[in-house]
Amino acid sequence: MTKRNKIIYWIATGWLSLGMVSTGIVQLLKVKEEADMMTHLGYPLYFLTILGIWKMLGVAAVLIPKFSLLKEWAYAGFFFAMSGAVFSHLVVGDDAKALFGPLLLLTLTVISWYFRPADRKAVSVNQQLVNSLI
């Protein structure tokens, strides 16, 4: 991995983690603005707890060493949550301002996933076999 890619990875991952932890805390605390937004989008308030917990667990999975398959699941969860947030805002007719946060976190998710180091990638059994033969 080049130094440039490592820097891109850690900057994107740092901001992604900060964004997910901060929004996860707000969701777990059921801050009034967050609860109002969830109601506006048509979701039950218990989704705040589910999303908050999964965001915290996802950040832990992305940041800790090893467990590459778990990291893949965390990135997938972030992608689904943020793309779902974008879609939800679009469906209810929210303006571009409401899309900024989810789109930023979605972009950071993709950048962090794409630039992750090889030791943080899930390698298939077939790939491991090929690598051992080379």
Side-chain angles (χ1 to χ4, degrees):
M1 171 175 240
T2 67
K3 184 176 181 177
R4 174 188 162 272
N5 287 1
K6 189 179 271 192
I7 290 169
I8 292 170
Y9 168 76
W10 281 111
I11 289 173
T13 303
W15 282 107
L16 172 64
S17 298
L18 182 63
M20 288 298 179
V21 165
S22 62
T23 58
I25 289 170
V26 167
Q27 290 166 335
L28 285 172
L29 294 176
K30 293 185 177 64
V31 172
K32 181 182 178 345
E33 292 81 6
E34 194 74 9
D36 290 346
M37 182 196 58
M38 198 60 93
T39 302
H40 167 70
L41 294 174
Y43 294 108
L45 291 181
Y46 66 82
F47 270 26
L48 290 172
T49 303
I50 295 168
L51 286 170
I53 290 170
W54 283 111
K55 284 181 179 181
M56 298 299 181
L57 292 172
V59 168
V62 166
L63 292 178
I64 60 174
K66 312 264 187 215
F67 306 107
S68 55
L69 184 58
L70 187 60
K71 289 178 193 324
E72 296 293 329
W73 280 91
Y75 280 120
F78 289 164
F79 183 86
F80 296 141
M82 293 305 100
S83 61
V86 169
F87 184 74
S88 296
H89 284 290
L90 289 172
V91 166
V92 298
D94 286 344
D95 58 8
K97 180 182 171 188
L99 299 175
F100 178 76
L103 279 174
L104 176 61
L105 289 172
L106 182 62
T107 302
L108 290 169
T109 297
V110 171
I111 292 170
S112 175
W113 175 84
Y114 182 80
F115 285 99
R116 71 201 186 286
D119 64 341
R120 291 178 176 261
K121 294 180 181 180
V123 180
S124 70
V125 173
N126 291 338
Q127 185 62 43
Q128 289 175 347
L129 180 62
V130 169
N131 289 344
S132 68
L133 296 173
I134 297 178

